[in-house]
Amino acid sequence: MDGHGEMGLIGENFDTGFVGRMKEDGYEIRSESDNFDVASGDDQDAAADGPSKKKKYHRHTPRQIQELESFFKECPHPDEKQRMELSRRLGLEGKQIKFWFQNRRTQMKTQLERHENVILRQENDKLRAENDLLKQAMTAPICSSCGGPAVPGEISYEQHQLRIENARLKDELTRICALTNKFLGRPLSSSGSPIPPHGLNSNLELAVGRNGFGGLNNAGTSLPMGFEFGDGSMMSIVKPMVNEMQYDRSAFVDVALSAMDELIKMAQMDNPLWIKGMGGGMESLNVEEYRRNFSSCIGMKPSSYATEATKATGLVYLRGLALVEALMDANRWVEMFPCMISRAATIDVLSSGTGVTRDNELQVMDAEFQVLSPLVPVRQVRFIRFCKQHSEGVWAVVDVSIDPSQDATNTQMFPNCRRLPSGCVIQDVDTKCSKITWVEHSEYDDSAVHHLLQPLLSSGFGFGAHRWLATLQRQCDCMAILMSQDIPGENNTGITPAGRKSMIKLAQRMTYNFCAGVCASSIHKWDKLSVGNVGEDVRVMTRKNINDPGEPHGVVLSAATSVWMPVTQERLFDFLRDERMRSEWDILSHGGPMQEMVHVAKGMGHGNCVSLLRGSAINANENNMLILQETWSDASGALVVYAPVDISSMSVVMNGGDSTYVALLPSGFAILPGISPSYHGGRSESNGALVKPEIDGSIVSGCLLTVGFQILVNNVPTAKLTVESVETVNNLISCTIQKIKAALTVT
């Protein structure tokens, strides 16, 4: 073999173990005696002339190596022209350049192979460990129902059933004791006092009224809230439903893994699976492409159900692990999305996960999802929630409805909606924020939805991914503002830092219960009324409050409706939140001006705040009344909620006192994006692509306004509701809507 062939062999095909000993400083290759260096291109040519001639070897200089390394990073395969340029610049022969690049590529290949071998070895060790665990489990099987040995034939059928029943009762007793401990704040064993038949009521209910509310009321047996913002304790503790059957955990694990795989793929895939809207905002699902790529993990879609699926991506000022903690805690999850979730409860924890990262945690949950309109029924869903940490700083949380065949006790419990793999992929960007990719995919019965709201839901603007992401971003901005010491634009005369926090908590309670009244969620026991001359689209309900100190005792009447407004969301929001324009629509202002006494910011926008308003008084009693108001606006809509409060109660709150016993009833407005009739299910008529509604475009020329009132009609809980009271609140809604339309038409 001649010299060139020999060096070609050295350049591309020599043993990888030999290449492993190349040195970075000159790519020196040692022989077995470790006495020789690799020859340069000139010396290799000289080797072909005769073996007896003494060879002269030399290494490349550090400067030459640096230049070669730099060029290699940009172009590992230089052509003849590039090699000649390097040869001229570095003072080396062309063949020296060629052989150096051959050796460098071989070294790189060896390093990659070594890295792949390490990964494969780790995977092999992991599989071997799992195999050992399976072998061990097979040698001593355990019954998943009763916890006893799974050895057939050793016990009778009756004994086996008794063991299952015993295990179920033990689990139920443990849950009740744990829940009671949380309520009472002290240990309670299985032989402790029984729980009262009506439980402990800590519901948060608020409202507007003029008959003897406000002040500090210590009556009743409710549990004081004493919550801390952001830790989930502001929410009423919802008692989990006790399982009446043992779930097939292995089947749920398979469904969870399949749903997680689908979520990751849907979050990563773009066109043609997802069709972008105008302006690069929310994306809608190409259903045909989805069916070609995925198969349903929860059975076939009912024929009468409609499909909605959207995706949105954005940054939030919250670390990924903190968001995971909030999503995996039912109370904190509701607190994070108070206008979207009316109730949530963890039914069972099938896997508690690993450490603080919640990796591989698997739960069964119940939830009620809502759009702030009485014309859209609450969506009740039982689903699996699965959390997985995919790598350092990357998590995914997925929800998927439980197949009725796997939960026989609830086949008819939640008939109006089912949740296909939905959730979010969370990736830490830095120490302060994370990137969120949110996917929402549901099938629902649209026959119960009012025709005015059907385009909103079918387009994905009702329960879509952009609404979840916009709410999360607004809540994270609020937390960042609350932690800030210097907040520009605030008017906090006469309020302490602790008072600011207490005032925000009171406003949260007010807003939460306004949403509960508008949507008629199950956190309150409402009785629907159909009496008097009530409009077809107005929902009137009533309930009695006896023990809750957070609202006035007596008979509470709630009325709500949604109407189309031919104005933009921004214009309507600015009009309703402006205290100077309040006399145009609010009968409580008696036509006089309102003044903002306190302004506490909750976001970067001026409209995201909690305010305390004071108006002109007609009599001495009204001189003691103030109006607490919370307003916010984001891409998913806007909200203006208010409630009368008395001065003495707010003085306690503004000095950092407990706001739990401030009795109030909320009223207000929710503004939803308006979708015109030309917006067909989120797609235009021409090409079927998703069209993002625009404020002043042809797609959207207005918005939807929900008006809701909660009023104390009698301070005696046992009193009967009169037809006159129902007609009065119905007239109040009609009059308020007419005043708003008239004011916006004139201005």
Side-chain angles (χ1 to χ4, degrees):
M1 182 182 297
D2 61 10
H4 294 285
E6 183 177 354
M7 288 309 300
L9 178 64
I10 293 176
E12 292 284 6
N13 302 315
F14 65 118
D15 181 55
T16 57
F18 185 73
V19 178
R21 286 180 285 179
M22 296 174 65
K23 291 189 175 180
E24 292 289 336
D25 60 347
Y27 299 101
E28 175 185 0
I29 303 178
R30 300 289 187 181
S31 67
E32 293 183 1
S33 60
D34 201 32
N35 291 325
F36 298 98
D37 295 329
V38 172
S40 67
D42 292 336
D43 299 326
Q44 294 179 51
D45 288 338
D49 297 336
S52 60
K53 185 176 180 180
K54 187 175 181 180
K55 309 296 187 301
K56 181 179 180 182
Y57 300 97
H58 78 273
R59 299 178 181 175
H60 299 319
T61 65
R63 187 188 70 83
Q64 291 173 333
I65 294 173
Q66 184 178 2
E67 290 282 345
L68 291 170
E69 286 285 357
S70 177
F71 195 89
F72 181 82
K73 291 179 181 179
E74 299 179 0
C75 180
H77 291 274
D79 55 24
E80 183 65 27
K81 183 177 180 181
Q82 290 171 321
R83 289 199 301 269
M84 292 303 296
E85 174 62 23
L86 282 172
S87 173
R88 182 191 62 78
R89 196 169 66 205
L90 300 178
L92 297 174
E93 294 292 335
K95 291 182 179 180
Q96 288 180 287
I97 302 295
K98 176 181 179 181
F99 295 142
W100 187 93
F101 275 91
Q102 288 176 349
N103 291 338
R104 187 68 179 90
R105 287 194 298 268
T106 304
Q107 184 195 37
M108 182 67 69
K109 179 181 177 182
T110 303
Q111 292 174 345
L112 292 174
E113 290 176 348
R114 186 181 298 113
H115 180 67
E116 291 175 356
N117 288 337
V118 171
I119 295 177
L120 291 174
R121 189 178 296 108
Q122 292 174 348
E123 290 292 332
N124 187 41
D125 293 340
K126 181 179 178 181
L127 292 174
R128 186 181 292 108
E130 292 178 357
N131 189 33
D132 292 340
L133 289 175
L134 291 175
K135 287 181 179 179
Q136 183 179 0
M138 292 175 64
T139 58
I142 297 176
C143 177
S144 60
S145 299
C146 64
V151 181
E154 292 187 0
I155 60 176
S156 66
Y157 174 79
E158 290 78 11
Q159 289 176 319
H160 184 68
Q161 293 300 314
L162 287 174
R163 285 188 177 184
I164 294 176
E165 180 67 11
N166 185 44
R168 187 187 68 80
L169 291 174
K170 284 183 177 180
D171 182 62
E172 181 177 347
L173 182 59
T174 301
R175 291 175 184 275
I176 292 175
C177 290
L179 186 61
T180 307
N181 293 344
K182 186 177 293 186
F183 279 134
L184 299 181
R186 57 182 176 83
L188 180 67
S189 64
S190 59
S191 60
S193 302
I195 297 178
H198 299 293
L200 295 173
N201 182 13
S202 60
N203 290 340
L204 313 177
E205 306 176 72
L206 323 162
V208 181
R210 291 172 287 177
N211 298 330
F213 61 92
L216 298 176
N217 191 340
N218 294 318
T221 59
S222 298
L223 183 71
M225 287 186 298
F227 45 77
E228 288 294 329
F229 180 78
D231 64 357
S233 55
M234 72 150 286
M235 305 308 305
S236 57
I237 301 176
V238 182
K239 183 172 73 172
M241 298 172 59
V242 178
N243 271 340
E244 296 297 332
M245 64 173 291
Q246 292 290 331
Y247 291 115
D248 185 353
R249 301 195 177 205
S250 61
F252 280 4
V253 169
D254 292 339
V255 172
L257 293 174
S258 176
M260 178 63 72
D261 181 65
E262 180 173 322
L263 174 69
I264 296 299
K265 290 179 179 178
M266 292 184 70
Q268 294 175 344
M269 296 175 68
D270 291 320
N271 192 47
L273 181 65
W274 294 103
I275 305 173
K276 290 185 177 296
M278 295 176 62
M282 184 176 62
E283 303 175 58
S284 69
L285 184 67
N286 185 331
V287 178
E288 295 300 325
E289 186 69 20
Y290 171 80
R291 290 172 180 169
R292 284 194 290 267
N293 286 275
F294 303 99
S295 58
S296 176
C297 57
I298 57 173
M300 297 293 293
K301 181 184 80 170
S303 58
S304 60
Y305 277 28
T307 300
E308 61 178 25
T310 54
K311 184 176 78 167
T313 303
L315 294 177
V316 298
Y317 288 98
L318 190 68
R319 293 295 306 276
L321 184 57
L323 178 56
V324 168
E325 287 289 336
L327 294 176
M328 300 306 293
D329 184 293
N331 288 336
R332 295 176 64 183
W333 182 43
V334 176
E335 184 181 343
M336 184 71 78
F337 302 94
C339 296
M340 302 185 65
I341 309 169
S342 60
R343 184 191 66 85
T346 300
I347 305 304
D348 198 2
V349 178
L350 304 180
S351 172
S352 58
T354 305
V356 297
T357 62
R358 302 275 189 162
D359 186 28
N360 289 320
E361 181 163 338
L362 183 62
Q363 302 178 0
V364 178
M365 302 183 74
D366 274 352
E368 293 182 359
F369 303 103
Q370 62 191 8
V371 169
L372 296 182
S373 171
L375 307 183
V376 179
V378 172
R379 292 185 177 181
Q380 298 175 307
V381 188
R382 175 165 291 184
F383 57 92
I384 303 169
R385 173 159 290 182
F386 180 46
C387 176
K388 178 70 177 175
Q389 183 177 16
H390 291 271
S391 61
E392 184 68 25
V394 179
W395 293 265
V397 179
V398 65
D399 298 343
V400 61
S401 286
I402 295 177
D403 191 334
S405 64
Q406 297 174 337
D407 192 5
T409 61
N410 293 286
T411 53
Q412 300 299 323
M413 188 173 181
F414 305 132
N416 66 345
C417 177
R418 63 181 205 158
R419 195 163 168 81
L420 278 70
S422 304
C424 58
V425 178
I426 307 163
Q427 181 179 2
D428 280 337
V429 176
D430 53 31
T431 58
K432 294 182 180 179
C433 66
S434 55
K435 178 183 177 182
I436 310 296
T437 301
W438 204 291
V439 175
E440 279 297 311
H441 192 186
S442 298
E443 295 170 345
Y444 66 100
D445 182 8
D446 64 345
S447 61
V449 181
H450 192 278
H451 66 86
L452 185 66
L453 275 297
Q454 284 181 350
L456 182 76
L457 269 61
S458 62
S459 65
F461 284 87
F463 294 94
H466 92 295
R467 187 178 175 213
W468 289 93
L469 185 58
T471 302
L472 178 61
Q473 289 173 328
R474 175 170 48 79
Q475 292 287 72
C476 292
D477 289 344
C478 176
M479 286 188 285
I481 287 290
L482 290 179
M483 291 185 293
S484 175
Q485 298 296 327
D486 183 20
I487 304 176
E490 281 204 347
N491 176 18
N492 289 337
T493 305
I495 183 172
T496 65
R500 183 181 72 168
K501 190 174 182 180
S502 183
M503 185 172 169
I504 288 178
K505 290 176 183 177
L506 180 60
Q508 284 180 297
R509 179 160 66 93
M510 176 181 67
T511 299
Y512 180 74
N513 285 274
F514 169 77
C515 299
V518 167
C519 301
S521 66
S522 63
I523 64 172
H524 299 315
K525 181 175 175 54
W526 292 101
D527 295 321
K528 188 174 180 180
L529 302 176
S530 299
V531 295
N533 298 321
V534 177
E536 180 182 354
D537 297 334
V538 178
R539 182 168 62 192
V540 181
M541 303 176 298
T542 182
R543 59 184 173 86
K544 298 178 180 180
N545 177 49
I546 300 175
N547 297 323
D548 188 357
E551 65 178 15
H553 294 177
V555 180
V556 177
L557 189 66
S558 172
T561 189
S562 295
V563 295
W564 173 265
M565 297 293 292
V567 294
T568 64
Q569 172 182 316
E570 286 80 2
R571 185 183 176 194
L572 182 58
F573 174 68
D574 289 339
F575 171 75
L576 293 175
R577 72 178 179 85
D578 190 347
E579 69 275 6
R580 296 167 299 180
M581 305 297 296
R582 194 179 187 95
S583 59
E584 298 287 335
W585 56 265
D586 186 8
I587 62 173
L588 296 180
S589 66
H590 303 289
M594 284 275 185
Q595 179 182 2
E596 185 180 61
M597 298 175 57
V598 177
H599 178 98
V600 178
K602 289 190 63 180
M604 300 306 295
H606 181 69
N608 294 349
C609 65
V610 176
S611 304
L612 198 59
L613 308 179
R614 187 168 191 171
S616 58
I618 302 298
N619 54 56
N621 290 332
E622 291 176 351
N623 192 42
N624 294 324
M625 299 305 297
L626 302 173
I627 292 181
L628 177 68
Q629 176 174 284
E630 179 176 11
T631 61
W632 58 257
S633 177
D634 59 28
S636 66
L639 196 74
V640 177
V641 181
Y642 62 91
V645 291
D646 64 83
I647 292 179
S648 60
S649 298
M650 286 308 300
S651 297
V652 175
V653 172
M654 293 170 65
N655 286 298
D658 187 7
S659 63
T660 304
Y661 298 100
V662 178
L664 41 70
L665 289 170
S667 295
F669 310 94
I671 306 173
L672 306 173
I675 312 296
S676 70
S678 63
Y679 195 82
H680 296 282
R683 303 181 184 279
S684 66
E685 296 177 295
S686 59
N687 58 7
L690 176 70
V691 179
K692 182 180 179 183
E694 296 178 347
I695 298 301
D696 295 318
S698 59
I699 302 302
V700 173
S701 57
C703 60
L704 293 167
L705 175 65
T706 295
V707 183
F709 290 99
Q710 292 185 38
I711 297 177
L712 184 72
V713 295
N714 199 309
N715 56 10
V716 179
T718 57
K720 293 184 178 180
L721 188 67
T722 64
V723 176
E724 290 76 11
S725 298
V726 176
E727 293 180 346
T728 298
V729 74
N730 181 58
N731 293 334
L732 176 61
I733 284 185
S734 300
C735 182
T736 302
I737 293 174
Q738 291 174 5
K739 284 178 173 289
I740 293 173
K741 288 183 176 180
L744 291 174
T745 302
V746 174
T747 56

